[in-house]
Amino acid sequence: MQKRIITHGEESLEKRKKAIHFLAGRVKSTLGPAGRNSAIGFPFQRPEITNDGKSTLDSLWSDDENEQLVIDIFKDIADEMFEESEDGTTTAVTLSEAVFDIGYELIKPNPLTGSNMNVMKLRTYSQNPCCIYRDWK
């Protein structure tokens, strides 16, 4: 039976944010025609040189459970994009990082007012963008 990871609080959110930026930074470096090569090292094997974001993402792992959770989520995102179009995995990771940053800024408590956005309302907006227009009207 697989163990479940249940984390909460500001500390775990900060760990996830750090992991997302680390992961996206590694994958974003391979983006575009001027993308850099990455060297992927395997124990007792020659390193593999690639400029493919999916290969770079698949080779990442972490001992920390929070960071590994983020890596697994991003691998799922990249796999879905690869199954659909066989391209664009680096772009999907970059966009996912941007979506996380925007969501993080919305739910983070505002130091001036002490309030933040309701997380469930944010979830509704992300699943049905028409609700944003209806609620702001």
Side-chain angles (χ1 to χ4, degrees):
M1 186 170 164
Q2 210 173 24
K3 76 176 183 177
R4 293 185 182 201
I5 303 168
I6 300 172
T7 58
H8 58 85
E10 192 67 31
E11 183 180 337
S12 73
L13 191 60
E14 286 297 324
K15 280 185 180 180
R16 288 185 190 146
K17 182 178 180 183
K18 181 181 139 200
I20 286 172
H21 289 296
F22 171 78
L23 175 106
R26 298 298 169 269
V27 175
K28 276 196 291 191
S29 67
T30 65
L31 183 64
R36 297 190 174 132
N37 292 334
S38 2
I40 302 170
F42 299 103
F44 307 109
Q45 292 181 3
R46 292 175 39 202
E48 179 183 332
I49 307 296
T50 183
N51 63 354
D52 179 32
K54 182 158 176 17
S55 302
T56 304
L57 181 63
D58 286 342
S59 68
L60 293 174
W61 61 273
S62 176
D63 291 333
D64 185 28
E65 294 172 345
N66 280 319
E67 292 177 2
Q68 188 60 43
L69 182 68
V70 168
I71 291 171
D72 290 341
I73 290 170
F74 273 67
K75 282 182 182 178
D76 288 344
I77 292 169
D79 286 341
E80 284 183 30
M81 183 58 122
F82 187 75
E83 287 173 9
E84 289 290 322
S85 65
E86 297 185 9
D87 194 20
T89 55
T90 305
T91 306
V93 169
T94 305
L95 289 174
S96 299
E97 178 193 23
V99 167
F100 174 82
D101 285 340
I102 292 168
Y104 179 77
E105 290 299 319
L106 288 174
I107 64 172
K108 186 174 69 170
N110 187 344
L112 298 176
T113 62
S115 64
N116 56 349
M117 185 174 198
N118 185 350
V119 179
M120 293 310 292
K121 190 176 265 194
L122 180 64
R123 180 173 182 252
T124 304
Y125 289 160
S126 67
Q127 291 176 343
N128 189 1
C130 297
C131 294
I132 298 173
Y133 178 73
R134 186 188 67 222
D135 288 349
W136 285 350
K137 211 171 156 185

